[in-house]
Amino acid sequence: QFVQNRCVGEFAIDGAAGPFRGHGYHEHNWGVQPRHSTAHWLHFWSPRASGVVLSCHYDHGLPHHYTFLWTADGEKTLISPAEFRFDRSEPLAPWCVVSPDLHLAITPLSGHATRFRIPPLIAYLDVDYYEQLLAVRGRALVEGKEIAIEGMGKLDYNWNRW
């Protein structure tokens, strides 16, 4: 995973066009997942810090989690797992991510959900996936110093059974 990559380009959306400058994120995943997996991924960018917060259950239900924060002083590891208070029954409601050294208030700006089931043909196939663009506001506590976070983010949430 690479964060704070400089991006420069042009956009064209709904008849509007123009240049953009900013930071981007690139991620690539591969591998085989077990019959059931869940994942909460939050990526966020702000002027003072960028971060990735992950809380997953892969590999036959074993937890996999980490929280990283990137600042001008380098990469910091925060306490994990963080608690994601995202409610998939109300995906556009505000929610938060909390841990002893991180508190982020999340406001969904836009998003989409995909639900894919094929019962009774393949009764065990059930994929529930959400992706959101977010406003992120809060703070991280790193080595006794509070770092303000106010920026943008992206949520990937999935609950899969196959």
Side-chain angles (χ1 to χ4, degrees):
Q1 298 178 9
F2 303 97
V3 298
Q4 292 188 334
N5 295 309
R6 289 197 170 95
C7 297
V8 177
E10 295 181 10
F11 72 91
I13 300 173
D14 295 331
F20 70 84
R21 297 174 79 61
H23 291 94
Y25 171 84
H26 172 75
E27 167 187 335
H28 178 77
N29 292 295
W30 61 91
V32 176
Q33 294 189 10
R35 283 204 62 226
H36 184 250
S37 63
T38 62
H40 287 94
W41 288 80
L42 171 65
H43 316 279
F44 64 88
W45 306 267
S46 73
R48 296 190 59 207
S50 297
V52 175
V53 184
L54 170 73
S55 180
C56 299
H57 286 89
Y58 289 140
D59 304 322
H60 307 290
L62 296 175
H64 174 70
H65 53 83
Y66 56 80
T67 303
F68 292 115
L69 190 71
W70 288 268
T71 68
D73 296 329
E75 180 180 314
K76 308 294 182 193
T77 302
L78 301 181
I79 296 170
S80 74
E83 180 184 354
F84 280 72
R85 295 183 180 165
F86 170 75
D87 182 353
R88 71 183 192 188
S89 70
E90 295 186 68
L92 295 179
W95 51 280
C96 61
V97 173
V98 295
S99 73
D101 54 3
L102 182 69
H103 187 277
L104 300 175
I106 308 295
T107 303
L109 301 174
S110 68
H112 70 87
T114 301
R115 187 74 188 257
F116 184 71
R117 289 187 279 188
I118 312 180
L121 183 61
I122 306 174
Y124 62 84
L125 185 63
D126 189 352
V127 176
D128 196 4
Y129 176 76
Y130 298 83
E131 188 172 53
Q132 295 180 337
L133 177 65
L134 313 165
V136 178
R137 183 179 204 154
R139 59 137 184 96
L141 188 61
V142 177
E143 298 167 352
K145 289 175 45 179
E146 189 170 291
I147 298 171
I149 297 167
E150 186 168 353
M152 302 294 292
K154 178 181 180 284
L155 167 73
D156 288 293
Y157 167 85
N158 68 61
W159 186 97
N160 302 318
R161 184 173 56 222
W162 47 66

